[in-house]
Amino acid sequence: MHPDVEKLFATEEDLKGIVARLAAQISADYKGKTPLFVGVLRGCFIFMADLVRACDIDCTVDFMVVSSYGKGTTSTGAVKIIKDLTENIEGRDVIIVEDILDSGNTLSYLRKYMLARKPASIRIVTLLDKPERRTADVQADYAGFTIPDAFVVGYGLDYGEKYRNLPYIGVLKPEIYS
Ligand code: IMP
Ligand code: MG
């Protein structure tokens, strides 16, 4: 285990199981449709790569880059779009893919932003959900794990851009960020 990680939260095996469950639900719900997965970079990149490969429906992908955090562990509340959608989402069944739903600021903003572009439908899939920390009015339609209020890294999730490459999810030692 990485020396900055206090304890393991989800092993590679756990993650595989959760991703398979989410992909099976999505594949059943979107049978006969061609949803557009919109990943919120950079945190989604590993989860989304595994999720779309586990889905057995036709789909397309797009990405947005937003920033809300900088280097810290708490949301600033302000969401800035660094890279917008490439695809026209009008009439599409959009599935937003997030690594973690925390305060909900990012997703509540993105949902409104995309709704204004008139998709046929819009749903949210998140690997991790921290409902205790929610301040914005937004829920995930598909969530992998519900987690308590701890700062986790790995499998795409970072602290100060590090740890994204860990193949598991671990709780970061508090002394690393305090
Ligand atoms: P929200 O806007 O507060 O919901 O924050 C969502 C974003 O905050 C996520 O996409 C992550 O990039 C980041 N974030 C929130 N909690 C964690 C965590 O425990 N570890 C790593 N990143 C986190
Ligand atoms: Mg982040």
Side-chain angles (χ1 to χ4, degrees):
M1 206 164 68
H2 193 289
D4 296 350
V5 169
E6 182 174 77
K7 64 171 192 253
L8 209 57
F9 177 76
T11 64
E12 290 188 67
E13 276 306 298
D14 296 337
L15 290 163
K16 239 180 139 175
I18 285 289
V19 169
R21 172 173 67 75
L22 292 172
Q25 279 176 358
I26 291 170
S27 301
D29 292 354
Y30 288 84
K31 198 164 181 235
K33 296 184 175 166
T34 304
L36 168 63
F37 288 93
V38 177
V40 184
L41 291 172
R42 281 164 269 186
C44 77
F45 81 115
I46 293 178
F47 170 50
M48 181 158 158
D50 285 345
L51 182 71
V52 296
R53 280 183 292 179
C55 284
D56 64 353
I57 44 169
D58 286 335
C59 65
T60 61
V61 300
D62 197 1
F63 297 93
M64 289 183 76
V65 179
V66 301
S67 88
S68 64
Y69 261 71
K71 254 190 110 198
T73 61
T74 49
S75 180
T76 58
V79 177
K80 196 167 126 199
I81 293 179
I82 314 278
K83 185 225 165 272
D84 205 339
L85 293 160
T86 303
E87 298 300 315
N88 177 6
I89 65 169
E90 190 175 334
R92 298 296 306 273
D93 293 302
V94 172
I95 304 175
I96 307 178
V97 185
E98 255 280 34
D99 53 354
I100 183 164
L101 182 49
D102 187 34
S103 71
N105 281 328
T106 309
L107 279 179
S108 111
Y109 179 87
L110 284 181
R111 229 176 132 263
K112 277 188 211 124
Y113 183 84
M114 289 188 209
L115 276 173
R117 282 157 186 74
K118 309 221 177 326
S121 68
I122 195 158
R123 284 190 185 166
I124 293 170
V125 54
T126 185
L127 177 64
L128 301 167
D129 190 5
K130 275 188 198 171
E132 273 173 48
R133 304 231 327 148
R134 198 69 33 82
T135 52
D137 180 23
V138 58
Q139 282 129 32
D141 299 283
Y142 307 95
F145 304 91
T146 299
I147 69 166
D149 183 11
F151 201 80
V152 292
V153 294
Y155 198 67
L157 291 122
D158 75 305
Y159 172 68
E161 293 306 322
K162 272 169 68 183
Y163 314 109
R164 293 194 197 274
N165 60 316
L166 302 180
Y168 51 84
I169 295 180
V171 179
L172 196 61
K173 286 182 181 164
E175 62 260 38
I176 303 298
Y177 54 83
S178 52

